[in-house]
Amino acid sequence: MERKDYILRMIEEFARVIAKIVLLKQSESFTDAKTELDSLTLNITGLGLGHIKSLGAEGVKYVFSRNKETEAEKIYCIARIMKEDAMILNAQGNIKDSLNSYEIAKELFKIASELDYPEKEDAIKEFEELKIIK
C-alpha cells in the first residue's frame, strides 16, 4: 500500500508541474518553462535534464531498471519530460535539438509501453504519435 501511495503522489505532483510547464510554454515563457522542466527532472530522477539527454533512452533504461518498483513510472515520466522539452525547443525555433529530444521521448515511450504499470496505454499512444516525427 505504501508503494502505491508514493507512486500516486509522484504522478499527481508530476501532472501538476507538467500543467504549469504547458501554461508557461503557451505564454511563451520558455526560460521559465525550461527551469521548471529541469527542476521536475531533478526531483523525479535525481539527475538534471542535461544528464538525461546525455544518457539517451538506453542509458535511462539502464539507470532506472535497477529499481523495478518504480522503473516503469520513472521511464514514463522522463519520456513526458523529454516530449515537453522537445516542444519548448521547437517553439523556440531550435529544430535540431527539438528533434533529438523527440527521438529520446519516442524511444522511452516505446520502452515504457513494454512494461506493466497503470499508464501503459498512455505510453503506447504517445509512442504511436511520435513515430511520425522524423
Side-chain angles (χ1 to χ4, degrees):
M1 186 66 159
E2 190 174 308
R3 176 187 179 276
K4 208 175 202 178
D5 290 341
Y6 165 75
I7 291 172
L8 184 59
R9 282 193 312 272
M10 184 178 85
I11 291 171
E12 287 172 350
E13 176 66 11
F14 178 80
R16 185 188 68 73
V17 176
I18 287 289
K20 181 178 180 181
I21 292 167
V22 169
L23 289 173
L24 288 168
K25 186 175 59 182
Q26 288 173 344
S27 67
E28 297 186 5
S29 299
F30 301 123
T31 302
D32 293 337
K34 291 285 279 190
T35 300
E36 287 292 329
L37 200 57
D38 191 50
S39 178
L40 176 63
T41 307
L42 188 60
N43 187 24
I44 288 177
T45 67
L47 302 170
L49 187 57
H51 292 115
I52 295 294
K53 287 180 180 183
S54 67
L55 283 173
E58 286 303 314
V60 167
K61 180 182 177 185
Y62 174 77
V63 169
F64 293 103
S65 65
R66 297 190 171 285
N67 183 349
K68 293 293 182 189
E69 289 186 13
T70 60
E71 171 189 23
E73 289 85 357
K74 285 191 176 183
I75 290 173
Y76 174 77
C77 288
I78 295 167
R80 290 282 316 272
I81 288 167
M82 293 308 300
K83 182 179 176 187
E84 286 299 323
D85 181 62
M87 291 189 295
I88 292 167
L89 290 167
N90 188 52
Q92 291 177 308
N94 190 341
I95 304 305
K96 181 182 176 192
D97 289 341
S98 174
L99 290 174
N100 183 51
S101 290
Y102 272 126
E103 187 61 32
I104 294 170
K106 180 174 66 174
E107 291 174 28
L108 289 171
F109 280 127
K110 183 175 185 338
I111 292 167
S113 70
E114 296 167 351
L115 301 170
D116 188 34
Y117 65 109
E119 289 79 23
K120 181 177 183 161
E121 291 302 317
D122 292 338
I124 293 169
K125 179 182 169 214
E126 292 280 1
F127 173 69
E128 291 300 321
E129 288 176 10
L130 290 178
K131 279 185 4 182
I132 62 170
I133 295 176
K134 301 251 189 253

